[in-house]
Amino acid sequence: MCRGIHIPAAPYAPTISTPSSGGPTYSAAYLSELKAATPSARPVLPEDESISYDADVSMSEVDTFVASSSISSIVDLTMEEKETIIPSTSSIEAVKQKREHMRKTGVSEDFISLSITKRESQGPHPMSRLMREEDEIGEAEDEFAEYTSAQERIALGKKSRKLEAKKKREEMNELIVDAEEEDEETIEWEQAQLRRGGHAFEELEPKAQKAIYKAAAVPQPTPIPTLGPAIARLTQSLSNLTSSHAQHTTSMASLGEEQTQLETREKEMRDMIAKAEEKRSWFVAFREWVESVATFLDEKFPLLQELEDEQLSLLQERYDMVNQRRQADDEDDLSLFLGTLPTPPAQQDQTDDLGRVVPQTSPTVARKERISAREARRIYRRAKGVHSQEEEGYSTDATLPPSDAADYALAVEKLLGKANEIVSDVEAKDFLDPRLGLGKWFDDWRSKFGDIYTSAFGGLGMVGAWEFWTRLEILEWNPMETTRTLDTFTWYQSLHDYSRPGREEDDMESEAELGPDGDLVSAMISTAVIPRICKILEKGGLDPYSAKDVRRLIDLCEEIEVSVPKEHLKFELLLKSAFITFQTAVTSSQTTVTKYLQLNQPRFDPEAIPARRRFLSRRYKLMDNILRWRKYAGEMYGLGQLVTTLVADVMLPVAESGWEVGGEDSMRKVLQVRPPELVPVALRARLNIR
């Protein structure tokens, strides 16, 4: 570290005598002169602001200052002898105080800093004048960074590690290339060094030896070719070319055929892609439409089911009214010739909807009123010419009174109005008419994608969706009250035409072949129509005492049998529903007769004989209807046993109570219409028939 600038004066060089012995000789005069010429204190520098400097400036500024200033103005080089001035103690103390004051206040007039370089890093103690060695000369990190790896960074990421490995490989390759390279200057230098060391070496490029002349060899004489071998060679070449041409022709033909096949296959693939795209787009649209139909059915089907239940309740109510009146007629007739049942204990007063007490009528008065009303109805029917030739009692009187009939007709009319309101808010034609919606979409599916349609049982799916419109159309249809046949409905004709896609409109008389779906009319009848008819029969739509209802039931079953065979499960359900209706009637008659037979208190009454005849006539009509139904349905669910029970447990005991006054005649009449296998043993014994 440079603490100041001190340039010593040039030493005085007196003459030195050299003795002959060779060593220098110093005399007293010489030593005194040398002492006088040597200065004893630092020369005083001139007070010139141009040459004052601060130690904080850089070394370049110091060099510039030294070079530009006159050295003679700083140091007196004349080496003139001056008087040595020794400062006093007080002056030294004053100078120290001044320097201390300037150090504290920071005001420097002629203060010379001990540092001649600027410190960019002030360190931990910037106000201290003491300098650490590392602050002054540094740690040489920047100077030797290439050898100490001070500036290298550790690669942490995947990308940085790849770059680091790539850089190392490049450096190694450069070192290898540098080691392998040998320029001419390096080679010459190495050879010169070997020559200086006296070592022998071989020149890298030996001098070319002078070529020795050699005469060219004289070739051997070549024989002149003959025509035969040449022709043979040409023939061989021609045959090779011919076979090669044939092979190439065959290859070209095969390649052309393969190209044709590839073009054909490409065309087929393009057609397949186009068809697949067409299929995809069609099925997307079909799915959207099916979802809309499903939403429509989810909303409308519950409303339709409510109306169907309401219609069944109306039929049940009407049947109960007719059955109660028929039950009352039977009890009235039985009480005339078997005695009156004991009067039940008095019950509490019954009230109507308005809270009024309903007056109770005595059984005798009520019986007389019923007999009078029944006679009035019979006279009314005779006046109109209805059943005028039938004997009394054979007419089961299944009609409602005028007031009740009017109420029933009004209820049916309201029901039909509600049925029309189900689709009153629908404006889309394809939802109002299934032929425009279901029929169009499913027929399009069958014509475009027949294999998928057949494997997915598309026809049955359409029948399931069409069921709503079928049930809505037959809601007003009571098969026991009307003669309307199934083929008059719109759904029947639509499904019949859909099942025969090859049928032409011009040729309506000829019967076309069925399509892949089979007869969809049969599917609709078994799915929607038969279950509906079964409910109607069980809820009172079929009157077992009505010959007209039985005839209509037989006609309906024969019509259904055209589409659905008797062995079908749904058809068997229809037969069972009819059997349940007849069984209920027989069971009710048996229960009623058993109560009066247990009483068995006959009395003399002129009306007893006509009453017994009326009762047996009604049972005879019931038996005749069962036999008629058995003739069609066969011995299904025990119809023959049902007839035997009716004759043996109901008709025969009543006939025996007045055997001589009409009972025997009634039983012989029964015997005439019954098959021999159904005649009970008791009746045979009573009539003496073997």
Side-chain angles (χ1 to χ4, degrees):
M1 179 183 295
C2 183
R3 301 300 181 181
I5 300 176
H6 174 70
I7 302 176
Y12 177 72
T15 305
I16 303 174
S17 60
T18 303
S20 59
S21 60
T25 302
Y26 298 95
S27 61
Y30 170 75
L31 293 176
S32 298
E33 185 179 358
L34 180 61
K35 182 179 180 180
T38 302
S40 60
R42 175 183 295 180
V44 180
L45 298 177
E47 296 181 0
D48 189 356
E49 295 180 358
S50 61
I51 64 175
S52 63
Y53 72 96
D54 193 357
D56 293 334
V57 298
S58 62
M59 292 301 298
S60 61
E61 294 176 354
V62 174
D63 296 339
T64 305
F65 166 75
V66 174
S68 61
S69 62
S70 176
I71 195 63
S72 61
S73 63
I74 301 175
V75 181
D76 188 6
L77 300 178
T78 58
M79 302 305 294
E80 293 181 357
E81 185 179 358
K82 295 181 181 180
E83 183 180 359
T84 301
I85 301 174
I86 299 174
S88 62
T89 305
S90 59
S91 61
I92 293 173
E93 187 66 26
V95 171
K96 287 183 178 181
Q97 292 178 359
K98 182 179 179 181
R99 290 178 62 85
E100 182 67 20
H101 177 70
M102 288 188 296
R103 185 180 65 79
K104 292 180 179 180
T105 58
V107 179
S108 176
E109 295 180 357
D110 56 352
F111 174 72
I112 300 175
S113 175
L114 298 179
S115 177
I116 62 173
T117 59
K118 289 185 178 180
R119 292 177 295 174
E120 297 183 0
S121 176
Q122 299 298 327
H125 305 286
M127 300 302 297
S128 175
R129 293 192 298 168
L130 299 178
M131 297 183 63
R132 296 179 299 177
E133 184 178 358
E134 57 270 17
D135 294 336
E136 180 180 2
I137 61 177
E139 296 180 355
E141 291 183 354
D142 298 335
E143 182 178 359
F144 302 102
E146 183 179 358
Y147 307 101
T148 60
S149 302
Q151 296 180 352
E152 292 185 358
R153 298 292 184 267
I154 299 176
L156 299 179
K158 184 177 181 182
K159 184 176 181 180
S160 58
R161 287 197 299 270
K162 288 184 177 180
L163 294 176
E164 186 68 21
K166 183 179 180 181
K167 183 177 179 182
K168 288 183 178 180
R169 287 194 298 270
E170 291 177 354
E171 291 178 356
M172 293 173 65
N173 292 333
E174 290 178 358
L175 293 176
I176 292 172
V177 172
D178 293 341
E180 292 179 353
E181 288 182 355
E182 290 185 359
D183 54 356
E184 295 181 358
E185 294 181 358
T186 304
I187 294 174
E188 291 178 358
W189 181 83
E190 291 179 354
Q191 293 176 358
Q193 297 301 323
L194 290 174
R195 284 194 297 269
R196 290 180 60 185
H199 299 282
F201 66 93
E202 296 180 357
E203 294 185 359
L204 298 178
E205 296 181 359
K207 295 181 179 180
Q209 298 180 358
K210 187 176 181 180
I212 301 174
Y213 173 76
K214 290 183 179 181
V218 179
Q220 296 293 332
T222 302
I224 299 174
T226 59
L227 186 59
I231 293 176
R233 288 195 303 271
L234 292 176
T235 304
Q236 182 67 26
S237 300
L238 180 60
S239 62
N240 294 336
L241 290 175
T242 303
S243 61
S244 177
H245 179 267
Q247 292 178 359
H248 293 168
T249 303
T250 306
S251 300
M252 289 180 63
S254 62
L255 290 175
E257 184 179 356
E258 184 178 356
Q259 183 180 3
T260 304
Q261 293 177 357
L262 290 176
E263 291 177 354
T264 305
R265 183 59 179 170
E266 180 183 2
K267 184 178 179 181
E268 293 176 355
M269 292 296 294
R270 291 184 182 275
D271 294 341
M272 290 176 59
I273 293 173
K275 291 180 180 179
E277 176 61 25
E278 180 184 0
K279 182 188 295 185
R280 186 199 64 81
S281 59
W282 188 90
F283 275 103
V284 168
F286 180 65
R287 179 179 180 180
E288 293 177 356
W289 185 84
V290 169
E291 290 178 353
S292 64
V293 172
T295 304
F296 172 79
L297 296 180
D298 290 341
E299 181 181 355
K300 300 299 183 180
F301 235 119
L303 302 178
L304 177 61
Q305 291 175 348
E306 291 179 1
L307 296 182
E308 290 177 344
D309 295 340
E310 184 176 352
Q311 184 197 25
L312 294 178
S313 65
L314 292 176
L315 294 175
Q316 184 69 47
E317 184 178 0
R318 188 191 66 170
Y319 177 77
D320 292 341
M321 294 174 62
V322 173
N323 191 44
Q324 288 176 4
R325 188 178 64 190
R326 186 180 293 123
Q327 181 74 15
D329 292 344
D330 290 341
E331 291 179 354
D332 293 343
D333 291 340
L334 289 173
S335 62
L336 290 176
F337 60 87
L338 291 179
T340 305
L341 293 176
T343 304
Q347 299 178 357
Q348 297 181 356
D349 295 338
Q350 298 181 355
T351 58
D352 56 9
D353 297 338
L354 300 178
R356 296 172 297 186
V357 178
V358 178
Q360 297 182 0
T361 307
S362 63
T364 304
V365 176
R367 184 183 308 112
K368 291 181 180 180
E369 291 179 354
R370 288 194 297 271
I371 293 174
S372 300
R374 182 170 59 251
E375 186 65 25
R377 290 195 303 273
R378 184 170 180 81
I379 294 173
Y380 176 75
R381 286 196 303 273
R382 286 179 177 178
K384 293 181 64 176
V386 180
H387 304 298
S388 58
Q389 301 300 327
E390 295 179 355
E391 61 179 306
E392 186 179 3
Y394 192 79
S395 175
T396 53
D397 199 8
T399 58
L400 292 175
S403 59
D404 294 338
D407 293 340
Y408 177 77
L410 181 61
V412 172
E413 184 178 357
K414 290 181 179 180
L415 180 66
L416 297 180
K418 293 180 181 179
N420 295 328
E421 292 177 357
I422 292 180
V423 293
S424 61
D425 58 340
V426 180
E427 298 181 359
K429 294 182 179 180
D430 53 348
F431 286 97
L432 292 174
D433 190 354
R435 293 174 296 180
L436 303 178
L438 285 173
K440 173 181 174 298
W441 277 97
F442 278 85
D443 184 62
D444 194 14
W445 183 12
R446 181 177 59 183
S447 60
K448 290 183 177 180
F449 316 106
D451 53 345
I452 302 177
Y453 176 86
T454 305
S455 60
F457 300 97
L460 296 180
M462 188 189 69
V463 170
W466 206 309
E467 181 182 352
F468 169 78
W469 286 274
T470 301
R471 292 170 62 175
L472 182 63
E473 189 176 0
I474 65 175
L475 179 63
E476 59 178 339
W477 177 60
N478 186 352
M480 302 296 105
E481 295 179 357
T482 179
T483 58
R484 184 179 181 181
T485 57
L486 294 175
D487 55 357
T488 59
F489 288 99
T490 304
W491 62 266
Y492 187 99
Q493 189 64 34
S494 300
L495 293 178
H496 181 272
D497 296 340
Y498 181 86
S499 301
R500 295 159 177 82
R503 184 179 183 181
E504 298 180 358
E505 296 181 359
D506 299 337
D507 191 7
M508 300 297 292
E509 295 181 358
S510 61
E511 189 71 17
E513 295 183 358
L514 291 174
D517 302 316
D519 190 7
L520 296 182
V521 175
S522 173
M524 181 60 73
I525 291 176
S526 61
T527 302
V529 178
I530 292 180
R532 181 64 182 168
I533 295 176
C534 292
K535 291 182 179 179
I536 291 176
L537 297 180
E538 294 174 1
K539 293 297 182 179
L542 173 63
D543 187 1
Y545 290 90
S546 174
K548 183 186 69 173
D549 288 357
V550 174
R551 287 193 300 269
R552 177 63 190 130
L553 177 61
I554 294 174
D555 295 340
L556 180 63
C557 290
E558 290 177 348
E559 184 180 2
I560 294 175
E561 190 178 356
V562 176
S563 301
V564 182
K566 274 188 176 182
E567 296 78 11
H568 198 278
L569 178 62
K570 294 297 182 67
F571 198 92
E572 292 182 358
L573 293 178
L574 176 60
L575 299 179
K576 184 177 181 180
S577 298
F579 171 78
I580 291 174
T581 303
F582 289 115
Q583 186 183 33
T584 302
V586 172
T587 303
S588 177
S589 299
Q590 185 180 10
T591 302
T592 303
V593 169
T594 301
K595 292 188 298 183
Y596 281 90
L597 289 176
Q598 292 176 354
L599 177 64
N600 197 14
Q601 296 178 358
R603 61 180 180 176
F604 176 76
D605 193 330
E607 296 293 332
I609 297 175
R612 183 182 294 106
R613 185 182 299 112
R614 286 194 300 269
F615 182 84
L616 291 176
S617 297
R618 285 193 289 269
R619 303 291 88 74
Y620 177 83
K621 188 174 184 180
L622 176 61
M623 181 195 67
D624 187 34
N625 290 337
I626 296 175
L627 291 175
R628 184 175 300 177
W629 174 248
R630 178 178 177 271
K631 185 177 181 180
Y632 169 77
E635 192 62 35
M636 183 69 69
Y637 302 106
L639 285 173
Q641 181 64 32
L642 189 63
V643 173
T644 303
T645 301
L646 176 63
V647 174
D649 297 342
V650 178
M651 298 182 68
L652 183 58
V654 173
E656 288 180 344
S657 64
W659 189 257
E660 292 81 6
V661 290
E664 182 179 0
D665 297 338
S666 298
M667 288 296 99
R668 291 189 178 276
K669 185 179 178 180
V670 169
L671 187 63
Q672 293 176 359
V673 298
R674 284 175 60 93
E677 66 273 9
L678 298 182
V679 178
V681 178
L683 180 59
R684 289 177 180 273
R686 185 63 175 167
L687 296 176
N688 296 323
I689 299 176
R690 295 181 180 180

